[in-house]
Amino acid sequence: MKASEHPSYNEEKQKLHETIEWIEGEIAKSEEEGKILEKKISETRKEVKSALDERIVLQKQLKMSNERKLRRYKESKNKPYFGRVDFKEDGDNKIKKLYIGKYGLNDEKHDEPVVIDWRSPIADIYYSGEAGAVSYKSPSGEISGEIKLKRRYEIEEGELLNIFDEKLKEMILDDEFLTSSLEKSADNRLKDIVATIQKEQNDIIRAPLDRALIIQGVAGSGKTTIALHRMAYLIYQNQRNKGREDYYMVIAPNKLFLNYISDILPDLGADDVLQTTFEDYALKITGIKEKLKVANDKISYLLGDAPIDEKRKTIMVSRFKGSLLFKAIIDNYFKQFLYKYIPDCDINIDGNIIFTSIELKKLFIENFVYLPLQKRKEQFISYLKNRLKKNKDLIADGIEKEYSEKIRFVKDNIDDNEVRQSKVIELYELRDKEIGDIPVKIDKAICDYSEKWIQLDTLKIYRDIMDFETLKKFSCGKIEDEKISCICDYTKAILDKDKIENEDLAPLLYVHKYLFGLDDAGKFAHIVVDEAQDFSEFKFYLIKRIVKGDSITIVGDVAQGIYSYRGIKSWGDLNNHVLNGKATYKMLKKSYRSTVEIMEYANSVIDKSKNKSIVKAEPIMRHGDVPEIIRIRDYDELIYDILNNLQDDELTTAIICKTDKMSKRIYESLKKDIDDITLISDKTEVYKGRKIVIPSYLSKGLEFDTVIIPDADSYNDTELELKLFYVAITRPLHKLKLYYTNLYN
Ligand SMILES: Nc1ncnc2c1ncn2[C@@H]1O[C@H](COP(=O)(O)OP(=O)(O)OP(=O)(O)O)[C@@H](O)[C@H]1O
C-alpha cells in the first residue's frame, strides 16, 4: 500500500525521521571520534619507535572498529530498517515495537536497541511466518509471546514509499512486498534479501552450525542467496557466543560467479570469508599453480562432434577420478609406498653398522604413523639422531677399546723408551680426537642417510600412480584392464602437456595430504559449497577434512548438473558415502527469479529429462510475457533481430549460446554495432556493462533481465544438452527470447 494512504502513515513517518536523525547524530559523533583517534595515533607514533608498539596497535584497532561502525551508520541512514514486529512477551503487558534492519543499531547512551539486526534471535519471529503465539530461542532460553503486528516497509533514500501489513488473523502472508521486490531489475551482482527472506529459507539460514545441510533447490529458489545469508548469520552468532573470529569459506564454481556473489557477504557485515573455487584452493595448497595449467575445455569437447565412444571414455575417466574408489586405490598405493620411500641401507660410522636396514625399516613403519610422510621422515631422522647421540658413550667405548689394544701392542713391542712414549702419546691424541669427532660423524652419517630418501613431489607421485601396472596392482581387480589403460593414457597425455584437468585436483590434493599433510585440516568453522551437484564425492571427502565437524552447507540442483561427468550421482549417495548419513536434507521448490510464464516453459523442458526424480519449480505469482520463440531464415536475420532488441536498453541482457564457438561468432557480429557488449569466456573474472554474450555452461548461477537464446535448435536431446538448455532458459527475470532456423522441438 502506498505509504501515504496507510492509517499509520504519520506515526511511521515520524519514527523514520527520528531514526534517521539519531543516525546522523551518531555519524557526527563517530567522525569526531575518528579524528581524535587519528590525532592520538600520530602523537603516539612520535613517542614510540616501533609500529608494533602495543599502544599503537590498540589505537589502530579502536580506529578500525570506529570506521566499521561509521560505515554501518552511513549504510543504514537511507534505509535503517525494512520491517517491524510488535511482540508481547508472555507475562509482560507491554508490547515491544521491534524495527528490523540489515544492521543492528544500538543507542549506547540509553542502552536500548534502535534497530534490531536481522540475524538476532528475536528477528526470527519476523521471518518465521507464524501469527499469534510464537516463541524464539534467546541466549537465556526459549521466550514465548504473541505477535500483534507484522509490517514491512519500502524505504528509498530516506523516504517512506510503501507500507505492507501482513494479515495475521487470516494467516495469509501478503506477497505484495515480495513481488514488488522481485519486479526490480537484475544487477551484475547478486543482492541481499534480508527484507524478504521466506519462512522455509529462514529455517535453513538459522539451522544449527554443527550440522551438514544439503539443499536441493530448483533454479531460482535462492540457494546461493540463502547459503550466503546463512554464512553471515552463523558468523554473527558465533561471534556473539564465542566473541572470537573464526575461519569461514565459500566454494563457488568459477571466478566469474565468485565476482557475481562477492558483494553479499561484506554487505551483510561478514568481511573476512575466504571466497574461492576448489580449483584455486587445491592449486594453492598443492603448490602446483606455477607448474601447470588447468584445461577447461571438456564441456566444449563433449558438445563437439568427437565420436561418441571417445566421449564415453572421457566421461569414464572423469567419473573414476572423482570416485572414492580412486581414493581407496591411492590409500593402497601409500600403504606400499612406505617400503619404497625408506632407503634400503644401513647407517654406519667408521664402517661400524649402527642400525641395520631391517631395523630402520621396522622402526619407520611402526612409528609416527599419524604424520604425513615428509613430517614423518623428519621426525624419524631426528629420532635417530637423538638415539645416536644418547649412544655416543657406547661409540666412545668402542673407540677406547680399539685404542687400548693398539697402545698395549705398542707398549709390549717397542723397546726404545722415547719412541714408545711418543707413539703412545700419538695414539692417545688420535683416540681423543676420534672421540671428540663423534658428534660430527653422527651428523654426517645421519645426513648421508637422510639424503638417500626419495624427494617427495606430489605431481611425480601422481604420475607414478597413473601408470598402468601401478593402477592395476592397487585397484585389486576392481577395474578392467581396458579401462585402466584408458585412464592412464588419457592422464599421461594431459600431464605431458604440462596440464591437468579439474578432475585431477581432488586426487592431487589427496596425494599432497599423504605427503605433506593439510595445514588447513579442521580449520574452517563453516564451509558453503555452491553448485554442489558438480562436485565429486572425492572433492567432498577433502572438503570435509578441512571443516570442523560436519559444518557444511551444500547447495545445488541436480536438474542443472551440466558437469554430471564429474559431479555426484545423487544427494543420497553423497550423504551416505561422505557425510556418514548425518546430513539434513531440504528441498526448495519455489522459484523467485523468473516469471510464471518463463518457469512454466522451463518446466516443460526439464520434463523431457530421463531423470524422473527431478522436481519441477513452482514460480512465485509474478506474471510477464510468454517466452518468444522466433523462426529466422538465416544468420543475418538473426543478428538483425537481436540488434533491434538490444538498442539503448538499461536492462541487463545476456545472449546465451550453446558453445564458446557460437558465442564468439555472435559477439563478433554484434560488436560492430554495439559498443558496450562483452564476450564472456572461461577466463573472464569481471565484466562491466549490461550486455553480454556468454556460453551456456558459464551462465550457470547468474541472472539477467532478458535472455536471448540465438541457437535454440542446436541443442539435441542428450541429458547434457537438455540441462544446458534448462540452465540457459532459467536465467532471465523478465524476458526470454529464443531463435531457431531449422527444426525446433
Ligand atoms: N526471499 C526472497 N526475496 C527476494 N528475492 C529472492 C528471495 N529468494 C530468492 N530471491 C531472488 O531470486 C533470485 C535467484 O536467487 P539465487 O540466484 O540465489 O537462486 P539459486 O537457487 O541459486 O538459482 P540457480 O540455481 O538458478 O542459479 C535472486 O534474484 C534472488 O535475489
CSV table of all heavy atoms in Angstrom, one decimal, residues 178 181-182 190 193 196-198 201 218-225 531 560 592-593 701 703 731, ligand 1:
chain,number,residue,atom,x,y,z
A,178,LEU,N,7.0,-9.0,-1.4
A,178,LEU,CA,8.0,-9.8,-2.1
A,178,LEU,C,7.9,-9.6,-3.6
A,178,LEU,O,8.9,-9.4,-4.2
A,178,LEU,CB,7.6,-11.3,-1.8
A,178,LEU,CG,8.4,-12.3,-2.5
A,178,LEU,CD1,9.9,-12.2,-2.2
A,178,LEU,CD2,7.9,-13.7,-2.2
A,181,SER,N,9.5,-6.6,-4.7
A,181,SER,CA,11.0,-6.6,-4.7
A,181,SER,C,11.5,-7.5,-5.8
A,181,SER,O,12.5,-7.2,-6.4
A,181,SER,CB,11.4,-7.2,-3.3
A,181,SER,OG,12.3,-8.2,-3.5
A,182,LEU,N,10.7,-8.5,-6.3
A,182,LEU,CA,11.2,-9.3,-7.4
A,182,LEU,C,11.0,-8.6,-8.7
A,182,LEU,O,11.7,-9.1,-9.7
A,182,LEU,CB,10.4,-10.7,-7.4
A,182,LEU,CG,10.6,-11.6,-6.2
A,182,LEU,CD1,9.7,-12.8,-6.3
A,182,LEU,CD2,12.1,-12.0,-6.1
A,190,LEU,N,24.8,-10.2,-7.2
A,190,LEU,CA,23.7,-10.7,-6.5
A,190,LEU,C,23.4,-9.8,-5.3
A,190,LEU,O,24.3,-9.3,-4.7
A,190,LEU,CB,24.0,-12.1,-6.0
A,190,LEU,CG,22.9,-13.0,-5.5
A,190,LEU,CD1,21.9,-13.3,-6.6
A,190,LEU,CD2,23.4,-14.3,-5.0
A,193,ILE,N,18.7,-10.3,0.5
A,193,ILE,CA,17.3,-10.4,0.5
A,193,ILE,C,16.8,-10.3,2.0
A,193,ILE,O,15.7,-10.8,2.3
A,193,ILE,CB,16.8,-11.7,-0.1
A,193,ILE,CG1,17.4,-12.9,0.6
A,193,ILE,CG2,17.0,-11.8,-1.6
A,193,ILE,CD1,16.7,-14.2,0.4
A,196,THR,N,13.1,-9.8,2.7
A,196,THR,CA,12.0,-10.6,2.2
A,196,THR,C,12.3,-12.1,2.3
A,196,THR,O,11.7,-13.0,1.7
A,196,THR,CB,11.8,-10.4,0.7
A,196,THR,OG1,13.1,-10.4,0.0
A,196,THR,CG2,11.1,-9.0,0.4
A,197,ILE,N,13.2,-12.5,3.2
A,197,ILE,CA,13.5,-13.9,3.5
A,197,ILE,C,12.2,-14.6,3.8
A,197,ILE,O,11.4,-14.2,4.6
A,197,ILE,CB,14.5,-14.0,4.6
A,197,ILE,CG1,15.9,-13.4,4.3
A,197,ILE,CG2,14.7,-15.5,5.0
A,197,ILE,CD1,16.8,-13.3,5.5
A,198,GLN,N,12.0,-15.7,3.1
A,198,GLN,CA,10.8,-16.5,3.4
A,198,GLN,C,11.0,-17.6,4.5
A,198,GLN,O,12.1,-17.9,4.8
A,198,GLN,CB,10.3,-17.2,2.1
A,198,GLN,CG,10.1,-16.2,0.9
A,198,GLN,CD,9.0,-15.2,1.2
A,198,GLN,OE1,7.8,-15.6,1.2
A,198,GLN,NE2,9.3,-14.0,1.4
A,201,GLN,N,13.2,-20.5,3.8
A,201,GLN,CA,14.6,-20.0,3.7
A,201,GLN,C,15.1,-19.7,5.0
A,201,GLN,O,16.3,-20.0,5.4
A,201,GLN,CB,14.6,-18.8,2.8
A,201,GLN,CG,14.1,-19.1,1.3
A,201,GLN,CD,14.1,-17.8,0.5
A,201,GLN,OE1,13.9,-16.7,0.9
A,201,GLN,NE2,14.4,-18.0,-0.8
A,218,VAL,N,15.3,-25.8,-6.8
A,218,VAL,CA,15.1,-25.6,-8.2
A,218,VAL,C,15.8,-24.3,-8.6
A,218,VAL,O,16.2,-23.5,-7.8
A,218,VAL,CB,13.5,-25.5,-8.5
A,218,VAL,CG1,12.9,-26.8,-8.2
A,218,VAL,CG2,12.9,-24.4,-7.8
A,219,ALA,N,15.8,-24.1,-9.9
A,219,ALA,CA,16.5,-22.9,-10.4
A,219,ALA,C,15.8,-21.7,-9.9
A,219,ALA,O,14.6,-21.6,-9.9
A,219,ALA,CB,16.5,-22.9,-12.0
A,220,GLY,N,16.6,-20.8,-9.4
A,220,GLY,CA,16.0,-19.5,-8.9
A,220,GLY,C,15.3,-19.6,-7.5
A,220,GLY,O,14.6,-18.7,-7.1
A,221,SER,N,15.6,-20.7,-6.8
A,221,SER,CA,14.9,-20.8,-5.5
A,221,SER,C,15.7,-20.1,-4.4
A,221,SER,O,15.3,-20.1,-3.2
A,221,SER,CB,14.8,-22.3,-5.1
A,221,SER,OG,16.0,-22.9,-5.2
A,222,GLY,N,16.8,-19.4,-4.8
A,222,GLY,CA,17.5,-18.6,-3.8
A,222,GLY,C,18.6,-19.4,-3.0
A,222,GLY,O,19.0,-19.0,-2.0
A,223,LYS,N,19.0,-20.5,-3.6
A,223,LYS,CA,20.0,-21.4,-2.9
A,223,LYS,C,21.3,-20.6,-2.6
A,223,LYS,O,21.8,-20.6,-1.5
A,223,LYS,CB,20.4,-22.6,-3.8
A,223,LYS,CG,19.3,-23.5,-4.1
A,223,LYS,CD,19.8,-24.7,-5.0
A,223,LYS,CE,20.2,-24.2,-6.4
A,223,LYS,NZ,19.1,-23.7,-7.2
A,224,THR,N,21.9,-20.0,-3.7
A,224,THR,CA,23.1,-19.2,-3.4
A,224,THR,C,22.9,-18.1,-2.4
A,224,THR,O,23.6,-18.0,-1.5
A,224,THR,CB,23.6,-18.5,-4.8
A,224,THR,OG1,23.7,-19.6,-5.7
A,224,THR,CG2,24.9,-17.8,-4.6
A,225,THR,N,21.8,-17.4,-2.6
A,225,THR,CA,21.5,-16.3,-1.7
A,225,THR,C,21.4,-16.7,-0.3
A,225,THR,O,22.0,-16.2,0.6
A,225,THR,CB,20.2,-15.6,-2.2
A,225,THR,OG1,20.3,-15.4,-3.6
A,225,THR,CG2,20.0,-14.3,-1.5
A,531,GLU,N,26.6,-24.7,-6.1
A,531,GLU,CA,26.6,-25.6,-7.3
A,531,GLU,C,27.3,-26.9,-7.0
A,531,GLU,O,28.1,-27.5,-7.8
A,531,GLU,CB,27.4,-24.9,-8.5
A,531,GLU,CG,26.9,-23.5,-8.9
A,531,GLU,CD,25.5,-23.5,-9.6
A,531,GLU,OE1,25.1,-24.6,-10.0
A,531,GLU,OE2,24.9,-22.5,-9.8
A,560,GLN,N,20.4,-29.0,-12.9
A,560,GLN,CA,21.4,-28.2,-13.6
A,560,GLN,C,22.7,-28.8,-13.6
A,560,GLN,O,23.7,-28.1,-13.7
A,560,GLN,CB,21.4,-26.8,-12.9
A,560,GLN,CG,20.1,-26.0,-12.9
A,560,GLN,CD,20.3,-24.7,-12.2
A,560,GLN,OE1,21.0,-23.8,-12.7
A,560,GLN,NE2,19.5,-24.5,-11.1
A,592,TYR,N,12.0,-17.9,-7.3
A,592,TYR,CA,11.8,-16.5,-7.2
A,592,TYR,C,12.2,-15.7,-8.3
A,592,TYR,O,11.8,-14.5,-8.5
A,592,TYR,CB,12.5,-16.0,-5.9
A,592,TYR,CG,12.0,-16.7,-4.6
A,592,TYR,CD1,12.5,-17.9,-4.2
A,592,TYR,CD2,10.9,-16.1,-3.9
A,592,TYR,CE1,12.0,-18.5,-3.1
A,592,TYR,CE2,10.4,-16.8,-2.8
A,592,TYR,CZ,10.9,-17.9,-2.4
A,592,TYR,OH,10.4,-18.6,-1.3
A,593,ARG,N,13.1,-16.2,-9.1
A,593,ARG,CA,13.8,-15.4,-10.1
A,593,ARG,C,12.9,-15.0,-11.3
A,593,ARG,O,12.7,-13.9,-11.6
A,593,ARG,CB,15.0,-16.1,-10.7
A,593,ARG,CG,15.7,-15.4,-11.8
A,593,ARG,CD,16.9,-16.1,-12.4
A,593,ARG,NE,17.9,-16.3,-11.4
A,593,ARG,CZ,18.4,-17.5,-11.2
A,593,ARG,NH1,18.0,-18.6,-11.9
A,593,ARG,NH2,19.4,-17.7,-10.3
A,701,GLY,N,24.2,-20.1,-12.5
A,701,GLY,CA,24.2,-19.3,-11.3
A,701,GLY,C,23.9,-17.8,-11.5
A,701,GLY,O,23.6,-17.1,-10.5
A,703,GLU,N,22.1,-14.3,-13.4
A,703,GLU,CA,20.7,-13.9,-13.8
A,703,GLU,C,20.7,-12.6,-14.5
A,703,GLU,O,21.6,-11.7,-14.3
A,703,GLU,CB,19.8,-13.9,-12.7
A,703,GLU,CG,20.0,-12.9,-11.6
A,703,GLU,CD,19.1,-13.0,-10.4
A,703,GLU,OE1,18.6,-14.1,-10.1
A,703,GLU,OE2,18.9,-12.0,-9.7
A,731,ARG,N,17.7,-18.4,-16.6
A,731,ARG,CA,18.5,-17.2,-16.2
A,731,ARG,C,17.7,-15.9,-16.2
A,731,ARG,O,18.1,-15.0,-15.5
A,731,ARG,CB,19.8,-17.0,-17.1
A,731,ARG,CG,20.8,-18.1,-17.1
A,731,ARG,CD,21.2,-18.5,-15.7
A,731,ARG,NE,20.5,-19.7,-15.2
A,731,ARG,CZ,20.4,-20.0,-13.9
A,731,ARG,NH1,21.0,-19.3,-13.0
A,731,ARG,NH2,19.8,-21.1,-13.5
B,1,LIG,N1,13.1,-14.4,-0.4
B,1,LIG,C1,13.5,-13.8,-1.4
B,1,LIG,N2,13.2,-12.5,-1.6
B,1,LIG,C2,13.5,-11.8,-2.7
B,1,LIG,N3,14.2,-12.3,-3.7
B,1,LIG,C3,14.6,-13.6,-3.6
B,1,LIG,C4,14.2,-14.4,-2.5
B,1,LIG,N4,14.8,-15.6,-2.6
B,1,LIG,C5,15.4,-15.6,-3.8
B,1,LIG,N5,15.3,-14.4,-4.4
B,1,LIG,C6,15.9,-13.9,-5.6
B,1,LIG,O1,15.8,-15.0,-6.6
B,1,LIG,C7,16.9,-14.9,-7.5
B,1,LIG,C8,17.5,-16.3,-7.5
B,1,LIG,O2,18.3,-16.5,-6.4
B,1,LIG,P1,19.6,-17.4,-6.4
B,1,LIG,O3,20.5,-17.0,-7.5
B,1,LIG,O4,20.2,-17.3,-5.0
B,1,LIG,O5,18.9,-18.7,-6.7
B,1,LIG,P2,19.6,-20.1,-7.0
B,1,LIG,O6,18.7,-21.2,-6.4
B,1,LIG,O7,21.0,-20.2,-6.5
B,1,LIG,O8,19.5,-20.1,-8.6
B,1,LIG,P3,20.2,-21.0,-9.7
B,1,LIG,O9,20.4,-22.4,-9.2
B,1,LIG,O10,19.2,-21.0,-10.8
B,1,LIG,O11,21.4,-20.3,-10.1
B,1,LIG,C9,17.8,-13.8,-7.0
B,1,LIG,O12,17.5,-12.6,-7.7
B,1,LIG,C10,17.4,-13.6,-5.6
B,1,LIG,O13,17.6,-12.3,-5.1
